[in-house]
Amino acid sequence: MLLQEEKGLAEKIDETSKFLVPFWNSAKIGVVLGSGLSSFTNEISLFHSIPYHEIPYFPCSTVEGHYGSLILGELGNVKLAVLSGRFHYYEGYSLREVTFPIRVLAKLGIKTLILTNAAGGLNLNFKPGDIMIIKDHINFIPDNPLRGIHDLSLGKRFVSLTNAYDKKLRDLAKESAKKLKIQIREGVYSALPGPSYETPAEVKMLRVLGINATGMSTIPEVVVARQSEIDVLGMSLITNVHTKDASPTHDEVLETAKKSEKKFCRLLIEIIRHLKVNEAHAASL
Ligand code: HPA
């Protein structure tokens, strides 16, 4: 029973990839856009925009601020595959469903993945609108997308997360921010299952554990990307800060994201521009 289910996952990935091949732009870089960050897609010269509901086996995003489309296009000659809208554990999806699009991008040849999210700041030096590069994470979602019968064709059974957030990509993000004179933070991210926000006692606990920002996503995608040997850059937009009397709302999250998304997009564009330079450099070696 389980064995058949697992076999089914690889077959579904195959089927979805085959569906996407006629649209595929040979992108090597994937981007996942978090809550309120979808305007990045306006920067892209569009080849194809495929709504998730038209893609076999893709779940459909149910959250306001998450528009569900796979965008295939180009940014200054760099080919990109952008997942505009993501799936969350709190929507009721299994982590296998949440990470299915990442597996499909891996199958289609993505080598670098930029994961973005909205997160609540725990570090009291952070301000709403800050951008944090994720250095490491602590997972509180009570599951792992790799759990279950293992299919070797999808990657290793036991996946190292020691350098899950690629140092070179983090350095590139820092250099890009410096160039644009954007203040940048770096820290540890945690994901709780949600959708309720953290209690004050949980906030205290997370802080004690050395966590700088917390959200409800990204970590399952990182795990699958690393199993697929994709280099990962993770970036959080701090939409709210857990000060003593804070009581976050989704509207506040979306509002801060809206205010800061231009800055976030500028940084993303700069990073991607340099990724291209690095790729060309690697090719010429
Ligand atoms: N907690 C969890 N997820 C979030 C938050 C938060 O404070 N802000 C944006 N996403």
Side-chain angles (χ1 to χ4, degrees), residues 35 118-121 196-198 214-216 237 239-240 242 248 253:
S35 291
S196 48
Y197 290 110
E198 301 68 31
T214 193
M216 305 173 189
L237 175 64
T239 50
N240 53 289
H242 287 273
V253 167

Side-chain angles (χ1 to χ4, degrees), residues 107-119:
K107 179 91 185 175
L108 289 165
I110 291 295
K111 300 290 177 218
T112 302
L113 184 63
I114 303 176
L115 292 159
T116 68
N117 61 43

Side-chain angles (χ1 to χ4, degrees), residues 16-283:
T16 306
S17 307
K18 280 186 186 135
F19 168 86
L20 289 173
V21 162
F23 307 102
W24 192 247
N25 57 351
S26 309
K28 297 281 178 276
I29 301 168
V31 181
V32 178
L33 297 174
S35 291
L37 296 170
S38 59
S39 77
F40 174 71
T41 58
N42 299 334
E43 309 291 336
I44 296 171
S45 314
L46 204 63
F47 297 167
H48 296 286
S49 169
I50 311 157
Y52 288 161
H53 66 84
E54 289 179 12
I55 305 177
Y57 305 116
F58 262 46
C60 288
S61 202
T62 63
V63 193
E64 192 193 334
H66 287 257
Y67 305 105
S69 301
L70 170 62
I71 312 284
L72 301 173
E74 230 176 42
L75 185 83
N77 295 332
V78 188
K79 293 184 174 68
L80 294 179
V82 181
L83 290 163
S84 179
R86 62 146 58 86
F87 309 107
H88 303 82
Y89 182 72
Y90 66 73
E91 291 173 84
Y93 297 118
S94 71
L95 291 190
R96 285 184 182 234
E97 290 170 314
V98 164
T99 55
F100 184 77
I102 307 299
R103 292 215 179 270
V104 171
L105 293 193
K107 179 91 185 175
L108 289 165
I110 291 295
K111 300 290 177 218
T112 302
L113 184 63
I114 303 176
L115 292 159
T116 68
N117 61 43
L122 299 164
N123 185 324
L124 293 172
N125 293 323
F126 287 9
K127 296 180 303 298
D130 279 355
I131 299 172
M132 185 188 89
I133 299 165
I134 304 176
K135 183 168 68 174
D136 202 348
H137 73 228
I138 297 182
N139 180 41
F140 291 101
I141 298 175
D143 198 359
N144 187 303
L146 311 187
R147 182 171 175 269
I149 299 283
H150 178 53
D151 182 336
L152 197 57
S153 74
L154 300 178
K156 286 183 188 159
R157 164 48 112 186
F158 300 103
V159 174
S160 168
L161 296 179
T162 303
N163 295 307
Y165 300 89
D166 188 80
K167 170 87 166 59
K168 276 196 191 131
L169 292 175
R170 285 190 283 127
D171 286 346
L172 170 60
K174 281 183 241 177
E175 277 163 33
S176 304
K178 195 170 166 190
K179 198 163 162 208
L180 298 177
K181 298 188 168 59
I182 292 174
Q183 187 188 29
I184 197 91
R185 314 287 197 167
E186 190 173 31
V188 177
Y189 172 85
S190 69
L192 272 66
S196 48
Y197 290 110
E198 301 68 31
T199 64
E202 285 167 342
V203 166
K204 219 174 188 175
M205 172 192 77
L206 297 173
R207 223 175 252 141
V208 165
L209 293 175
I211 297 162
N212 302 100
T214 193
M216 305 173 189
S217 68
T218 306
I219 292 177
E221 294 149 325
V222 171
V223 172
V224 164
R226 291 309 300 142
Q227 188 192 39
S228 311
E229 298 182 354
I230 292 173
D231 292 335
V232 171
L233 174 66
M235 292 202 300
S236 296
L237 175 64
I238 307 299
T239 50
N240 53 289
V241 177
H242 287 273
T243 52
K244 196 161 160 284
D245 300 315
S247 179
T249 64
H250 189 53
D251 284 346
E252 178 189 1
V253 167
L254 291 182
E255 199 180 306
T256 313
K258 200 171 201 162
K259 274 190 206 151
S260 313
E261 73 178 328
K262 265 210 183 104
K263 175 174 79 171
F264 203 93
C265 285
R266 281 200 300 133
L267 180 57
L268 262 181
I269 292 166
E270 184 69 17
I271 292 168
I272 289 165
R273 217 162 61 85
H274 284 276
L275 269 177
K276 189 205 170 191
V277 172
N278 287 352
E279 253 181 28
H281 177 66

